[in-house]
């Protein structure tokens, strides 16, 4: 008996989704994949169900650019409730420590510089980090204490934007791998009051910004799917672009390296090549030659 052929279609490009609270990242991608009837889709950076905001979703050939988006700068706006530390470091967890102490605004602001720059951070017990092949959150859900080592992360800025007696709201810009929940946990511990995240919104992932995002409702019911779909090139926006002719593009597509000539040609680093405004390949320039790491199957 022959296998039924899929009726899904080839879709290439990016959507900057404004993920709602209560939906997992996997569920959000599945919804978009169904809306676009796409064969292949993936996302660039998980958002917890508690969190809302930017979830970049890649389709087709754009999935090849996911690592560049994941490595991009992130920005978050989040609220910390003082007085309780939970096992998940957010409001989905159960209380582990409590305190009647409440921090003064001046004390919070005085502490923030310790969290900026290259810092060592211990990830939350409930995180996607793998321990001996298992996700830390799977181990934690079984009631075991996860032995997570501190690791270096980069936080570019951490700013207090609002504060009351019981909670405080911050904005944070950071690199890959930094956990907002860990920041909330550590702030609470150092301030002596404990704390956990009650609201979290991601406002930037690499080149994708909050103001450019679309909600599922806009895409699904307001007929904005075509408008929301960006080019494959959107995922490469933070890389230098090298414009090549058709012959050079064909050589790159076959996996051959090319010598980059001209006064403005990059001398080193990761770049992508484009022909006629269409991405052809990306790779690293070594001694003036671009060797493609991945090529795109897009017409140009």
């Amino acid at each position: 008996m022959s296998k039924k052929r899929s009726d899904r279609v080839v879709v290439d490009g990016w959507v900057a989704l404004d993920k709602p609270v209560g939906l997992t990242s996997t569920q959000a991608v599945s919804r978009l994949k169904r809306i676009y009837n796409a064969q292949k889709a993936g996302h660039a950076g998980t958002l917890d169900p508690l969190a809302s905001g930017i979830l970049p979703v890649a389709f087709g050939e754009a999935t090849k650019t996911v690592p560049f988006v994941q490595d991009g700068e992130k920005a978050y706006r989040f609220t910390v409730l003082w007085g309780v530390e939970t096992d998940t470091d957010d409001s989905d967890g159960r209380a582990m420590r409590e305190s009647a102490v409440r921090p003064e605004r001046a004390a919070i602001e005085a502490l923030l510089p310790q969290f900026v720059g290259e810092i060592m951070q211990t990830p939350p017990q409930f995180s996607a980090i793998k321990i001996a092949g298992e996700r830390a959150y799977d181990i934690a859900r079984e009631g075991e204490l996860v032995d997570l080592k501190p690791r270096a992360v980069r936080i570019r800025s951490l700013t207090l934007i609002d504060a009351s007696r019981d909670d405080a709201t911050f904005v944070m810009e950071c690199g890959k791998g930094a956990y907002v929940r860990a920041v909330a946990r550590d702030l609470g511990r150092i301030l002596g009051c404990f704390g956990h995240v009650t609201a979290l919104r991601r406002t930037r992932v690499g080149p994708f910004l909050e103001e450019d995002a679309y909600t599922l409702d806009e895409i699904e019911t307001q007929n904005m799917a075509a408008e929301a779909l960006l080019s494959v090139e959107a995922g490469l926006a933070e890389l230098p672009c090298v414009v090549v002719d058709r012959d050079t593009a064909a050589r790159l597509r076959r996996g051959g390296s090319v010598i980059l000539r001209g006064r403005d040609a990059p001398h080193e680093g990761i770049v992508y090549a484009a022909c006629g405004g269409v991405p052809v390949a990306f790779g690293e320039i070594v001694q003036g030659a671009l060797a493609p790491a991945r090529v795109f199957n897009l017409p140009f």
Side-chain angles (χ1 to χ4, degrees):
M1 185 175 178
S2 62
K3 187 176 180 180
K4 184 179 178 181
R5 294 181 61 184
S6 172
D7 61 355
R8 293 191 180 275
V9 298
V10 175
V11 179
D12 299 309
W14 281 94
V15 170
L17 178 67
D18 188 340
K19 188 191 82 67
V21 172
L23 205 64
T24 69
S25 295
T26 299
Q27 289 170 334
V29 171
S30 295
R31 286 269 298 272
L32 275 187
K33 190 175 179 181
R34 186 166 60 251
I35 292 168
Y36 285 93
N37 194 32
Q39 291 180 353
K40 185 178 183 180
H43 64 76
T46 301
L47 272 181
D48 295 334
L50 172 74
S52 67
I54 299 293
L55 180 68
V57 179
F59 295 101
E61 291 295 288
T63 59
K64 296 174 181 178
T65 70
V66 163
F68 300 116
V69 177
Q70 286 180 324
D71 288 346
E73 191 96 349
K74 315 291 192 306
Y76 299 90
R77 183 170 61 252
F78 63 99
T79 298
V80 180
L81 179 68
W82 306 121
V84 179
E85 181 176 309
T86 70
D87 57 354
T88 60
D89 299 315
D90 62 23
S91 56
D92 285 340
R94 59 188 180 91
M96 302 296 288
R97 300 178 181 179
E98 297 187 21
S99 172
V101 174
R102 296 295 182 270
E104 297 291 334
R105 183 182 186 117
I108 300 170
E109 292 180 323
L111 183 59
L112 298 186
Q114 295 185 33
F115 289 81
V116 177
E118 295 286 339
I119 68 168
M120 298 302 292
Q121 183 186 78
T122 302
Q125 288 283 304
F126 285 76
S127 62
I129 293 172
K130 285 191 173 182
I131 307 294
E134 288 189 79
R135 297 290 185 185
Y137 53 65
D138 288 330
I139 300 172
R141 283 173 185 148
E142 293 175 358
E144 296 183 41
L145 188 65
V146 183
D147 183 21
L148 294 170
K149 306 297 183 184
R151 58 181 186 170
V153 298
R154 182 179 60 83
I155 297 179
R156 189 156 73 90
S157 66
L158 179 62
T159 306
L160 177 66
I161 61 171
D162 192 25
S164 68
R165 179 183 180 276
D166 292 317
D167 61 27
T169 300
F170 304 84
V171 292
M172 183 174 90
E173 297 174 301
C174 60
K176 182 180 179 181
Y179 279 90
V180 168
R181 287 180 290 137
V183 170
R185 177 201 65 207
D186 294 342
L187 279 171
R189 289 178 179 178
I190 297 172
L191 289 166
C193 61
F194 304 124
H196 66 274
V197 173
T198 57
L200 172 62
R201 181 167 178 79
R202 189 160 65 188
T203 57
R204 177 188 174 190
V205 180
F208 299 105
L209 308 178
E210 182 179 31
E211 54 266 32
D212 301 323
Y214 289 81
T215 65
L216 281 169
D217 180 68
E218 289 172 330
I219 297 170
E220 196 167 18
T221 66
Q222 298 184 35
N223 299 319
M224 300 176 74
E227 181 180 334
L229 185 63
L230 304 173
S231 68
V232 171
E233 205 166 3
L236 298 165
E238 297 187 332
L239 289 182
C241 176
V242 176
V243 178
V244 298
D245 58 29
R246 295 182 68 87
D247 289 342
T248 303
R251 180 176 177 81
L252 287 168
R253 282 239 181 120
R254 293 193 297 269
S257 62
V258 296
I259 301 295
L260 299 179
R261 305 185 186 280
R263 183 181 60 186
D264 299 325
H267 297 292
E268 59 182 15
I270 305 294
V271 303
Y272 77 95
C275 179
V278 178
V280 174
F282 64 80
E284 185 175 7
I285 298 176
V286 179
Q287 296 181 337
L290 170 60
R294 297 291 299 274
V295 301
F296 298 102
N297 298 312
L298 297 167
F300 60 85

